[in-house]
């Protein structure tokens, strides 16, 4: 009963090149705070408070798993001959019973292998220009830019090929004075192909809010500005997330079964017990589960934050330029592709007939055994 399973374990080549990781640990996006004030600046002076934060992180996960299993079985208990005897007790092929399981469970780790924190904090800018000198230039500038790129490519391929040639027939009992029954033995063959691909989430998200879920608060005041002065409070925030999630699961099952318990002969005997063949039964089950879990688990890729702005210009000087500028840009792009292909191919040639009982004085008759074929193929995907 374990013959097929043993052959599968000996011949199955499972090639797994999994988890190519280009970023070890993801970055937690903390809050950013900028505070700047230009007060009491001199005539024709240039005064600048500037904050710049640029963060770029990327995570690429490639899991490529291949299972190739090829099994060839030849079993023969037939082709027996008992000819030209005075008394023969009969002749028959013994039973052939084979069963086993093939397949591979690929990219199915019990827990996510990588984490990515997409949570954002609160960005705060508190700026002011007061009592600025004539003809002076006074600037408070904050620029925050964050970029996260996530790439996941999960690919699994299961190739299972089982070829079985089973024979318990083609037995002969000819030209005997007396011979018992010429029979072919039972042939019972069962194989199950169990395949899984991309059944786990490789990436777990942590943090709350998502890349587009950060909050910002900007305050700015231009007060008592000098004549012909230029006074600017500027805040710019940009958060960008790009995620490309590709999963492909391919399963190819090929079963070729040739089983024969027939082709038995009892000819030219004075007394023949007859010809009987055994039962031929083949049970083949193919089950595939693919892309059954999300690529990412937990957390939030996209969210919504709160943006608060409080600006003012008060007691501005003649011919002065006073500006309060706030810009917030959040962008999330997600492209996801799930492809599952399952090919099940069964070729079965099952024979219990082609038996002969000719030219006998007395014969017990000829009977063919039952042929039973049970085939099921199930795919659970996406």
């Amino acid at each position: 009963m374990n013959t097929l399973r043993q052959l599968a374990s000996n011949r199955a080549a499972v090639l797994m090149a999994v988890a190519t990781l280009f970023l070890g640990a993801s970055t937690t996006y903390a809050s950013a705070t900028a505070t700047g004030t230009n007060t009491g600046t001199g005539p024709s002076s240039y005064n600048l408070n500037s904050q710049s934060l640029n963060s770029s992180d990327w995570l690429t996960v490639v899991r490529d798993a291949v299972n190739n299993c090829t099994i060839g079985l030849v079993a023969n208990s037939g082709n027996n001959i008992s000819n030209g005897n005075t008394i023969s007790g009969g002749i028959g092929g013994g039973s052939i019973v084979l069963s086993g399981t093939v397949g591979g469970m690929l990219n199915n780790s019990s827990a996510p292998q990588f984490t990515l924190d997409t949570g954002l904090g609160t960005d705060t800018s508190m700026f002011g220009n007061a009592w600025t000198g004539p003809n002076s230039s006074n600037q408070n500038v904050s620029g925050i830019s964050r970029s996260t790129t996530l790439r996941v490519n999960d690919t699994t391929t299961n190739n299972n090929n089982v070829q079985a040639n089973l024979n318990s027939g083609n037995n002969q009992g000819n030209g005997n004075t007396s011979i018992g029954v010429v029979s072919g033995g039972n042939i019972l063959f069962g194989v199950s192909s169990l395949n899984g691909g991309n059944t786990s989430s490789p990436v777990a998200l942590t943090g709350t809010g998502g890349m587009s879920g950060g909050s910002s608060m900007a305050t700015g005041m231009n007060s008592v500005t000098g004549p012909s002065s230029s006074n600017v409070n500027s805040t710019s925030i940009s958060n960008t997330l790009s995620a490309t999630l590709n999963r492909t699961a391919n399963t190819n099952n090929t079963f070729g079964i040739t089983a024969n318990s027939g082709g038995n002969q009892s000819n030219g005997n004075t007394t023949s017990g007859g010809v009987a063949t055994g039962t031929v039964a083949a049970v083949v089950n193919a089950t595939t589960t693919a892309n059954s879990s999300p690529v990412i688990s937990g957390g939030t890729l996209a969210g919504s934050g709160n943006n608060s702005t409080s600006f003012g210009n008060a007691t501005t000087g003649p011919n002065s330029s006073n500006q309060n500028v706030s810009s917030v840009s959040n962008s999330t792009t997600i492209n996801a592709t799930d492809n599952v292909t399952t090919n099940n191919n069964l070729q079965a040639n099952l024979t219990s007939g082609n038996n002969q009982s000719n030219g006998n004085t007395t014969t017990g008759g000829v009977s063919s055994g039952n042929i039973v074929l049970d085939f099921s193929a199930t795919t659970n995907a996406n």
Side-chain angles (χ1 to χ4, degrees):
M1 296 292 288
N2 294 322
T3 303
L4 183 60
R5 185 176 293 108
Q6 292 170 353
L7 288 173
S9 64
N10 290 335
R11 296 191 184 187
V14 180
L15 307 176
M16 300 187 69
V18 297
T20 302
L21 179 62
F22 297 102
L23 176 65
S26 60
T27 298
T28 299
Y29 292 114
S31 300
T33 301
T35 302
T37 302
N38 294 307
T39 303
T41 61
S44 302
S45 63
Y46 175 72
N47 307 285
L48 171 66
N49 295 310
S50 177
Q51 178 203 44
S52 177
L53 186 154
N54 293 297
S55 177
S56 178
D57 297 283
W58 51 283
L59 173 65
T60 297
V61 178
V62 177
R63 300 194 304 176
D64 189 358
V66 178
N67 168 46
N68 292 314
C69 180
T70 300
I71 298 174
L73 297 174
V74 177
N76 180 33
S77 68
N79 298 325
N80 303 293
I81 299 175
S82 179
N83 296 330
N85 302 293
T86 301
I87 298 176
S88 173
I91 190 169
S95 295
I96 298 175
V97 180
L98 292 171
S99 68
T101 302
V102 297
M105 303 300 292
L106 310 178
N107 290 355
N108 68 329
S109 57
S110 59
Q113 296 163 292
F114 314 103
T115 60
L116 179 66
D117 192 332
T118 61
L120 298 178
T122 298
D123 299 321
T124 303
S125 301
M126 302 176 66
F127 291 148
N129 295 302
W131 300 97
T132 60
N135 300 308
S136 64
S137 176
N138 308 283
Q139 299 182 44
N140 297 298
V141 179
S142 174
I144 300 173
S145 175
R146 301 184 181 92
S147 174
T148 297
T149 302
L150 172 63
R151 299 286 185 269
V152 177
N153 287 297
D154 261 6
T155 303
T156 63
T157 302
N158 275 301
N159 295 315
N160 301 298
N161 186 357
V162 178
Q163 300 294 322
N165 190 341
L166 314 176
N167 177 50
S168 68
N170 297 325
N171 302 292
Q172 298 182 26
N174 300 321
N176 302 288
T177 302
S178 177
I179 187 171
V181 177
V182 177
S183 63
N186 296 322
I187 297 177
L188 305 177
F189 177 78
V191 60
S192 295
S193 179
L194 304 178
N195 303 284
N198 301 332
T199 55
S200 68
S201 302
V203 178
L205 297 183
T206 60
T208 59
M211 273 300 299
S212 58
S215 298
S216 66
M217 181 178 66
T219 60
M221 175 62 73
N222 294 308
S223 176
V224 193
T225 60
S228 301
S229 64
S230 174
N231 307 282
V232 177
N233 297 308
S234 176
T235 300
S236 175
I237 300 173
S238 175
N239 297 310
T240 302
L241 170 67
S242 175
T244 301
L245 314 174
N246 296 319
R247 295 195 303 180
T248 301
N250 300 313
T251 300
N252 300 303
N253 293 310
T254 301
F255 307 102
I257 305 170
T258 299
N260 175 44
S261 69
N264 303 290
Q265 299 181 22
S266 180
N267 299 322
N269 303 293
T270 303
T271 302
S272 170
V275 178
T277 60
T279 296
V280 178
V283 179
V284 179
N285 296 313
T287 301
T288 300
T289 302
N291 294 359
S292 58
S293 66
V295 177
I296 53 179
S297 63
T300 304
L301 275 178
S304 58
N306 298 314
N307 300 304
S308 173
T309 303
S310 177
F311 288 147
N313 296 303
T315 318
T316 59
N319 300 313
S320 65
S321 175
N322 306 282
Q323 300 181 45
N324 296 298
V325 180
S326 175
S327 174
V328 178
S329 174
N330 294 311
S331 174
T332 298
T333 302
I334 302 175
N335 295 310
T337 302
D338 262 7
N339 293 318
V340 176
T341 302
T342 301
N343 297 311
N344 295 304
N345 185 2
L346 171 64
Q347 300 292 327
N349 187 351
L350 312 178
T351 302
S352 70
N354 297 324
N355 303 291
Q356 298 183 28
S357 178
N358 300 317
N360 302 293
T361 303
T362 302
T363 181
V366 178
S367 64
S368 297
N370 296 322
I371 294 178
V372 179
L373 174 62
D374 185 353
F375 176 69
S376 66
T378 303
T379 298
N380 302 308
N382 297 344

